[in-house]
Amino acid sequence: MQKEKIIIGSDHAGVNLKSKIKLYLLELGYDVFDFGVNSQEPVDYPYIAKDVANKVATGEYNKGILICGTGIGMSITANKIKGIRAVVCSDTTSAKLSRQHNDTNILCFGERIIGEYLAKDICKIWLETEFMKDRHLRRVNLIE
Ligand code: RB5
């Protein structure tokens, strides 16, 4: 089966975790586009979040992953884009339920919050979990 197209982006505070997650997703066979940034030079995370979220909202990519220091700024910004349901999470249960119940399409991490191995596990579970639809579809439609 064709694996999903994933776009991944970060600000300067998420750049190290971004490169590790990117390699991991490539190992899993995903088609991954690295939006940047790729330096420790400070940048304003809303610019990255907005561009990545727009590329998911238009369907150019199936899902997005955004990383900053906490994941909070990225998720707040991404959720301003119509059609985006972004979740910042640091546990596998929330990641799974955010897919099953909320059909999240952007996953956010904080490099200053979470370790590499947990972040990788969360990515895998989040990417492999299907939306349950039924009553949850009605609720997701109500968000729009
Ligand atoms: C940058 O210092 C930091 O504020 C940013 O990466 C992020 O954590 C914001 O939510």
Side-chain angles (χ1 to χ4, degrees):
M1 201 180 80
Q2 177 79 32
K3 288 267 192 175
E4 291 181 307
K5 285 177 70 178
I6 311 297
I7 182 167
I8 186 165
S10 76
D11 71 356
H12 57 287
V15 75
N16 293 318
L17 185 59
K18 175 168 68 62
S19 51
K20 288 170 186 158
I21 300 246
K22 175 184 157 185
L23 286 178
Y24 178 62
L25 297 184
L26 289 170
E27 275 168 32
L28 292 179
Y30 287 97
D31 179 352
V32 185
F33 175 69
D34 185 348
F35 184 81
V37 298
N38 288 302
S39 104
Q40 311 270 359
E41 189 69 30
V43 289
D44 296 332
Y45 62 82
Y47 291 117
I48 316 291
K50 180 185 166 201
D51 287 352
V52 167
N54 273 320
K55 287 176 188 296
V56 174
T58 59
E60 191 177 341
Y61 292 88
N62 301 102
K63 291 194 179 82
I65 296 174
L66 284 168
I67 305 168
C68 60
T70 60
I72 296 169
M74 288 295 199
S75 62
I76 291 172
T77 312
N79 276 316
K80 302 268 181 214
I81 307 295
K82 190 168 170 53
I84 292 302
R85 291 171 299 281
V87 62
V88 52
C89 85
S90 305
D91 72 279
T92 51
T93 308
S94 298
K96 184 170 84 177
L97 287 169
S98 85
R99 286 287 311 128
Q100 288 181 334
H101 290 198
N102 313 108
D103 197 19
T104 49
N105 47 14
I106 293 197
L107 175 63
C108 304
F109 290 125
E111 183 178 321
R112 295 170 181 160
I113 305 295
I114 194 170
E116 170 191 350
Y117 289 91
L118 179 54
K120 287 176 177 173
D121 285 348
I122 289 172
C123 275
K124 187 166 192 294
I125 286 168
W126 186 75
L127 288 167
E128 289 176 357
T129 304
E130 295 292 327
F131 181 40
M132 287 170 75
K133 298 190 180 157
D134 302 321
R135 67 186 184 282
H136 302 296
L137 178 59
R138 184 181 69 246
R139 292 164 185 163
V140 165
N141 286 336
L142 283 167
I143 298 172
E144 293 298 323

